[in-house]
Amino acid sequence: MGDVEDERGTTERVLTLLGLLQQRALWTGPELGERLGVTPRTIRRDVERLRALGYPVQASNGVGGGYQLGPGHDMPPLLLDDEEAIATAVSLLAGAGSGEATLRALTKLDRVLPTRLRHEVSALSGSVVAFDGSRAPIDPEVLMTLARACRDEVEAGFAYPSSSGSTVRRVEPYRLVASGRRWYLLAYDLDRDDWRTFRVDRMTEVSARSWRFRPRPAPDAAAYVQENIASRVYRHQARFLVHAPASVVRAQIPAAAAVVRERGRSRCEVLSGAGDLDFLLMHVVLLGHAFEVIDPAELGERCRVLAERLLGAAGASSTHLAD
């Protein structure tokens, strides 16, 4: 029993030492020994224990020397006190619309956040708003509920708008995907027996259920969601072969408007959708590159009709100028 208590005491002391090293740039051996109530020799041993765990504790001798925590090759765990944990969680919640890395960090913090801090984090996050209106309004707790369901592989339920009003959806959530100013959930819809993409800001009454599921073979989440919002939801879908590098075209077209695939060094395929074929043609023409229509076949005919109309307009313009 004594060995267990000694080991626990050593672990607590080493963690306290790590917390001190994270608070200040430099500590002398005697300062650390006084704070922890141990000898300088014990401090040296605890420093070696931290180094063995991957923390790059640097030591220097002489006047102005001491112990300091330096940068390492890998990112070791950080120790946060209550105030630091609350500040970090609120900052992540405020920036939840900025990308998947933010959500991953928030999900990791959520797993270990003590229950006593959750209410304070929730209350503080409700007071944070964006002034530029660049993000679609979204409840951070909804995002976290879905993130937990994805992480824990449990079913989720929510109400979602449809042509007949609002329907209750039961899904196996797979991934949350950020696209511009919106978040999307890729999930397997249990009632429709297929993969579906849902806009998170359109969901209401979101809940995670207790039923666990075994993950199915899934499509690439980012590619599936991008293709869905760029083309599948529209009446017409079209593919073009554009004579320009994919990197150039991607810089011209928002990711939510089209899927751009490389087709060699100097060409790319553009997949997009719209309610009107002429609208699609107009946008591809305005890219300023030579292009070819891959499909649908009727789009080629629309090219000829519009070309004749434009040539006629150019001819009429020349006639008026001559007059």
Side-chain angles (χ1 to χ4, degrees):
M1 185 69 179
D3 292 341
V4 174
E5 291 178 350
D6 290 345
E7 184 177 343
R8 182 181 302 164
T10 299
T11 301
E12 292 175 354
R13 188 181 66 246
V14 170
L15 290 175
T16 303
L17 172 61
L18 176 59
L20 292 173
L21 292 172
Q22 289 179 347
Q23 288 178 15
R24 207 170 82 185
L26 184 69
W27 292 84
T28 66
E31 286 176 329
L32 291 172
E34 183 178 350
R35 291 291 293 268
L36 298 175
V38 295
T39 65
R41 183 180 180 184
T42 300
I43 294 295
R44 288 194 295 271
R45 289 177 178 173
D46 289 347
V47 165
E48 288 303 320
R49 291 186 176 99
L50 287 176
R51 288 171 176 165
L53 293 172
Y55 294 93
V57 183
Q58 301 170 356
S60 56
N61 298 320
V63 178
Y67 296 100
Q68 60 182 340
L69 193 61
H73 297 292
D74 300 309
M75 179 69 180
L78 296 174
L79 287 183
L80 302 175
D81 60 27
D82 285 4
E83 291 183 357
E84 292 168 339
I86 291 171
T88 301
V90 170
S91 297
L92 289 169
L93 283 168
S98 61
E100 294 182 26
T102 300
L103 186 60
R104 286 200 307 272
L106 186 56
T107 306
K108 289 179 180 178
L109 184 60
D110 175 74
R111 183 191 288 273
V112 298
L113 196 67
T115 304
R116 67 179 185 277
L117 302 183
R118 291 182 185 276
H119 176 73
E120 190 166 355
V121 168
S122 178
L124 287 173
S125 65
S127 66
V128 180
V129 296
F131 68 87
D132 59 2
S134 60
R135 297 174 188 156
I138 185 169
D139 184 349
E141 187 55 37
V142 168
L143 202 61
M144 282 308 307
T145 298
L146 295 171
R148 293 185 198 113
C150 292
R151 178 193 69 196
D152 299 336
E153 298 175 352
V154 295
E155 292 181 15
F158 50 86
Y160 201 72
S162 66
S163 56
S164 59
S166 180
T167 58
V168 176
R169 315 298 282 266
R170 298 183 310 116
V171 303
E172 295 176 355
Y174 179 61
R175 289 288 186 276
L176 282 162
V177 179
S179 177
R181 55 194 293 266
R182 293 192 175 96
W183 280 97
Y184 296 86
L185 174 69
L186 174 61
Y188 193 86
D189 193 314
L190 294 169
D191 295 319
R192 289 154 181 79
D193 198 26
D194 199 4
W195 291 98
R196 290 289 191 273
T197 296
F198 302 94
R199 267 179 53 176
V200 175
D201 59 300
R202 290 180 175 174
M203 297 178 180
T204 56
E205 302 174 33
V206 179
S207 64
R209 305 177 185 272
S210 58
W211 298 297
R212 296 182 63 85
F213 63 87
R214 179 175 296 178
R216 307 166 187 265
D220 179 271
Y224 186 92
V225 170
Q226 185 193 14
E227 188 167 328
N228 188 72
I229 63 178
S231 65
R232 291 197 190 108
V233 296
Y234 295 100
R235 178 185 175 189
H236 297 289
Q237 292 81 42
R239 290 191 302 146
F240 303 89
L241 183 65
V242 179
H243 293 255
S247 59
V248 173
V249 176
R250 285 194 186 104
Q252 295 178 284
I253 307 178
V259 177
V260 181
R261 301 180 178 129
E262 289 189 10
R263 290 292 182 264
R265 284 180 146 187
S266 59
R267 299 191 303 175
C268 63
E269 180 182 316
V270 174
L271 171 65
S272 188
D276 183 85
L277 289 175
D278 289 355
F279 182 83
L280 280 174
L281 277 176
M282 177 188 72
H283 279 273
V284 177
V285 168
L286 291 177
L287 292 176
H289 311 297
F291 69 92
E292 304 165 34
V293 173
I294 300 177
D295 56 49
E298 60 263 33
L299 194 55
E301 179 59 30
R302 292 306 305 164
C303 285
R304 281 188 286 272
V305 170
L306 290 178
E308 291 173 2
R309 188 179 301 167
L310 290 171
L311 286 171
S317 176
S318 299
T319 302
H320 288 306
L321 286 174
D323 293 343

